[in-house]
Amino acid sequence: MKNAEDIESYLTHMEAQFEAVGDGIWVIKDIGPGLVLSIADSVLVFRMKVMDASSVPAAHREGLFRKLLELNAEEMLHGAYGLESDGAIVVTDALQLQNLDYNEFQATVDDIGMAVRNHYPELSSFTA
């Protein structure tokens, strides 16, 4: 099973700008507002806040939520958009540490970063 040292090795190998912010917790600084990785039991969790739903006028929220569901179904290879109880719109994913390899790790990081870069302009248009 992979551990914190393996994850740091993967981050270094991909030349990511990252910071260890706790035991088994890292922030990749060069992906969006920061992609947080954390080890939780036997899983590596990826999470990035995209925006706050509270910044979207009530009249536009249904359209935003519909768009997020469409993106989950049609474009997200790794992870999914979600709404946290505090109103944060996030993209998350989780990978098993048991068989995690570098290619799977990098594909997940790259896909989340690409999704946010490609989708954010449209998602942020709902705030107007």
Side-chain angles (χ1 to χ4, degrees), residues 20-83:
V21 294
D23 190 29
I25 304 171
W26 305 266
V27 177
I28 302 177
K29 296 179 176 187
D30 50 350
I31 298 180
L35 176 59
V36 178
L37 285 64
S38 59
I39 294 177
D41 296 320
S42 62
V43 176
L44 179 63
V45 177
F46 299 77
R47 179 195 175 278
M48 184 166 47
K49 182 177 178 179
V50 178
M51 60 192 297
D52 284 310
S54 63
S55 67
V56 177
H60 297 165
R61 286 188 190 153
E62 182 178 339
L64 171 64
F65 298 149
R66 179 180 180 88
K67 185 62 184 176
L68 290 168
L69 289 170
E70 289 171 354
L71 291 170
N72 281 347
E74 298 169 358
E75 295 191 29
M76 295 298 291
L77 297 175
H78 294 277
Y81 289 104
L83 180 65

